[in-house]
Amino acid sequence: MRNWHRSIIAKVMLIITAIATSAVAALSFVLLMGFSSTLSMSMNDLFQEVKAFEDTDGFENLLYSATMDVLNGVQIKEQLETDGKYNPDQLVDVMEYYDSQTITGKNESGLAYTVEELGTWSQKDGNRELEEIVVCKKTDNTYHYYYMNEFEALLENGSLKLEMDDESYRQLIKELEMGYYTSYSNGSFTLQDENGQTVYKTCWTFDGDRFGESYAPDGAANLLEVANEFPELNGHLSEMYGALRRAISDFEQKRTVYQAGFDNWTEGNTNFTYLFVDEDAKRVYTNNSHFQDYKEVEKNIQTLAESGKYVLVYPKLKDFQSNIDTSAGLWKENVESFHTLGDHYLAMAAVDTAYPIQDIFQSMAKNYNRQIPHIKWSGISLVLSIPLLLISIVWLTLIAGRSAGDEKGTLRLNLFDYWKTEAAAVLVIGIWILLTAFIINSWHGIGYTVDYTGNETSWYPNYHERLYYAFDVMPEDVFVILFYTIATMVLFLIGYLSLVRRIKGGTLWKNSLLRMLWHALRKVGGFIKQFWRNRGVTVKAIALFAVFALVHWLAIISGGHPLFWVLALVIELVAAYGIIRSAMEKERLKKGIEEIASGSVGYQIPLSELKGDYYEMAEKINNIGNGLQYAVEKSVKSERLKTDLITNVSHDIKTPLTSIINYVDLLKRENFEDPKVQGYLEILDAKSQRLKTLTEDVVEASKVSSGNITLECMDVNLVEMLNQTIGEFSEKMDAKQLRVVATLPEEPATVHVDGRRVWRILENIFNNAAKYAMPGTRVYADLKVEKESVLFSLKNVSEQPLNFSSDELTERFIRGDVSRNTEGSGLGLSIAKSLTEMQKGTFELYLDGDLFKVTICFPRVIV
């Protein structure tokens, strides 16, 4: 079938292919990314041999997470216990903990709280409101801190004195209370004691981060007392608050983790076994009762290494051992971040890969084995579906707006394509946004979480109960993904293909709201310009309207006073009369202009019922009609005289010219032997023939200019006509030593023209080349067949300088030689151009130095 690729069946199949492949690609991508991320697989893994779960990054990450979790628990246990029992009263030096993360049980810096206080701090509301803190700088450049109420009490009882008037004093206190007077404020003041001695050089409101104190520090009433009493902390109140906030956050977490316990990693509950040894203290931490003896550590290490996968970390990287592909440096760095094991240690983590216990390792191994086939097929489907999707979209793009039965260049637009561009875009994109928002708000998402025991659940009351996030797809998830993808692709195809059709049809901008707005703004701008240019009239109209509006508003504002309503009615009647009269006068002017425009230049607009501006306009229109009538009559008379003169002169010349030519011919037959007589006869013959040519050209030019020519058009092959023309002019060209170089196509160059007139065109331009081309040069004749036209060009080098424009050559009686001593009438190119344009062609001349080029173009007829 012809043009099957853009048939309805092809379009339907392509749309179905695009929707189906996009759905497959989206589902494959989600499955691929979900499964590969939760199993820590790379894209390269998808195309390699399937690994066992124990050889994947997912297993390594799970082992690493379990090990760090246990190390964290061991460290917390050591920090919160004394003699194997939880010690809530153990002191924590906040500044020391902030610096080194260690707990000594002593208050060295002065800022210390118990474990219980730090762990439960955020559960208290705080026993002191957040009032402003005043920082006072002493004369020795140390600091003293006051709560605002304490500072004000000292000023009230005279313990501190402030040398300033009452108004300034109240303003200062207000700024301190509001927190405006900070260390960055301009200005300062001094404070004296009862004896008049300067105590503080200046004071300001503390502008650092602070919070309520749920508990008092060890041995002090509050933080300010500690900052005032301990020189190392004086001037470092912001650092004290920061260190305390960090300690509160850490110990709240430590306390929660400690209370939750580590039952999931205890013996019998997991396939994971840890063996941490403090070599200095000869202490063993393990979840296997058979491995607690320090003397059996080497034997136990060997036993664990043989049970499955393991990692064994020593203080030196050269001693690191493992049968999984992992980073020794990462393990060493993170093991040493927990300070429980000291400087000389060994840390071993192992998993029994037979998975005898149903814990998270067994659960994830099953999950991996279940998901691997899905990942493989997802990768293959994604690789196959994307090229098909792209091919279908490109195909649809190429045939958008085209049908199988349409001719080439035909474009079909549907009803949606005629919508305004922006409205169509808003509709498609808006529906997609609403659909996306609905899916986001209603869909729970894909995946589930796995706790330490390997149980799947969707939420956890405490963060420490969750260890791993898994990925799985339920039937409802597949439905949501497919539905969303198909709906998205349908909306995309509707919008995208409409966009393509609009671009092909040139309506994207033409049918847009922005274009309407742009044209509206241009019209407004044009109106404003016209308003200003015609301000003599427009200002008068605005003034009349202002009077009209003013009277009506006065009538409304006055509360309906009868006088204003009567005045408004009178103005309305006057305005109505003026509008009606103006409309009638405009109609008279319109009728007069239409009559003159239709050719009745003698029509006169009646002036009796016109007044003012309309009267003046009517007079000027009548004058224009009179002027046009006079000009038309004069032009017609002039053309008639020219035509009559040309016809009469040509007729009068033809009769004696024919006699002269005949007698010259008779005299040439007498065979005069005198060379002079023969020369005279040759001159007479040449001049008479030239006069005959001139007469015929003048008559031809007159007919062309007056349009008195009847065309008999038919399909003509220009290739054949050019071959004939070149042959007929060969003698003339040879006589002047000119060589014609013709480049003609093998295929026909068919045009619909009058063959006799086209022959005259070619004869004139070839004759022009034969007369004026430089002897001994080439004349190039080129014919090209293009998609919708046939193009012929003839170029040569002129013998005489071309010191005039190309437009002048197509005027009448213009020739290339100024002296006019050569043969010709000067009408050849003018006649050729007129005949070409009468046949819907174009005729162009090109001059470049002495290069002369004629280009003729006719519409092509496709056979």
Side-chain angles (χ1 to χ4, degrees), residues 563-574:
L563 177 61
F564 286 108
W565 284 118
V566 172
L567 183 60
L569 179 61
V570 171
I571 288 179
E572 287 174 352
L573 292 174
V574 171

Side-chain angles (χ1 to χ4, degrees), residues 347-358:
M348 186 172 189
V351 176
D352 184 352
T353 53
Y355 305 118
I357 299 174
Q358 295 183 7

Side-chain angles (χ1 to χ4, degrees), residues 336-365:
E336 291 180 352
S337 66
F338 299 96
H339 305 288
T340 304
L341 302 182
D343 296 330
H344 301 88
Y345 65 88
L346 69 84
M348 186 172 189
V351 176
D352 184 352
T353 53
Y355 305 118
I357 299 174
Q358 295 183 7
D359 67 345
I360 188 171
F361 287 92
Q362 186 197 69
S363 175
M364 294 309 298

Side-chain angles (χ1 to χ4, degrees), residues 718-733:
L718 278 186
V719 177
E720 295 178 356
M721 184 170 285
L722 279 169
N723 284 322
Q724 181 182 353
T725 305
I726 293 170
E728 293 197 10
F729 273 85
S730 60
E731 277 190 36
K732 254 188 179 181
M733 296 293 183

Side-chain angles (χ1 to χ4, degrees), residues 510-695:
K510 188 185 298 183
N511 195 29
S512 68
L513 294 174
L514 286 176
R515 181 175 179 271
M516 288 180 59
L517 178 61
W518 170 249
H519 283 288
L521 292 175
R522 289 184 62 185
K523 287 181 179 179
V524 171
F527 174 78
I528 294 173
K529 289 181 180 178
Q530 291 296 326
F531 177 87
W532 182 248
R533 289 174 183 171
N534 300 282
R535 52 188 178 275
V537 177
T538 55
V539 171
K540 185 190 299 184
I542 291 294
L544 292 173
F545 176 78
V547 172
F548 181 85
L550 177 63
V551 172
H552 280 77
W553 277 105
L554 286 174
I556 295 171
I557 295 172
S558 66
H561 195 281
L563 177 61
F564 286 108
W565 284 118
V566 172
L567 183 60
L569 179 61
V570 171
I571 288 179
E572 287 174 352
L573 292 174
V574 171
Y577 172 77
I579 292 171
I580 295 171
R581 183 177 179 84
S582 175
M584 294 171 62
E585 291 174 337
K586 285 180 181 178
E587 184 62 28
R588 291 191 182 93
L589 293 180
K590 179 182 176 184
K591 182 180 178 182
I593 294 171
E594 289 176 349
E595 289 289 340
I596 294 173
S598 64
S600 301
V601 293
Y603 181 82
Q604 295 287 299
I605 300 173
L607 303 176
S608 58
E609 298 181 2
L610 300 177
K611 294 181 180 180
D613 293 338
Y614 290 109
Y615 183 87
E616 294 179 4
M617 285 189 286
E619 274 191 326
K620 292 177 180 179
I621 292 171
N622 288 339
N623 290 336
I624 292 173
N626 293 333
L628 286 174
Q629 186 175 9
Y630 175 75
V632 169
E633 290 176 353
K634 185 177 180 181
S635 176
V636 170
K637 183 178 180 182
S638 176
E639 289 297 323
R640 188 181 299 114
L641 287 174
K642 289 179 182 178
T643 304
D644 291 343
L645 176 62
I646 292 171
T647 303
N648 293 333
V649 169
S650 299
H651 184 270
D652 292 342
I653 290 174
K654 272 187 176 182
T655 302
L657 180 59
T658 302
S659 298
I660 291 171
I661 292 172
N662 291 333
Y663 280 110
V664 169
D665 184 57
L666 291 173
L667 288 172
K668 288 175 68 177
R669 295 179 184 180
E670 293 295 330
N671 296 322
F672 293 104
E673 296 182 359
D674 189 345
K676 290 185 178 180
V677 174
Q678 291 179 357
Y680 296 152
L681 289 175
E682 291 295 333
I683 292 172
L684 283 172
D685 185 35
K687 297 302 180 182
S688 60
Q689 290 295 335
R690 178 180 175 188
L691 185 58
K692 179 183 178 182
T693 301
L694 176 61
T695 305

Side-chain angles (χ1 to χ4, degrees), residues 131-136 148 151-152 155 162 169-183 185 189 191 202-206 210:
E131 58 180 305
E132 295 297 335
I133 297 173
V134 180
V135 184
C136 293
M148 192 67 208
F151 183 72
E152 290 180 355
L155 291 174
L162 187 61
Y169 169 78
R170 287 192 297 271
Q171 180 65 27
L172 175 63
I173 296 300
K174 183 178 180 181
E175 290 184 0
L176 288 171
E177 290 176 343
M178 299 297 292
Y180 297 155
Y181 200 93
T182 68
S183 59
S185 303
F189 56 91
L191 289 170
T202 185
C203 298
W204 62 85
T205 307
F206 176 68
R210 55 197 175 88

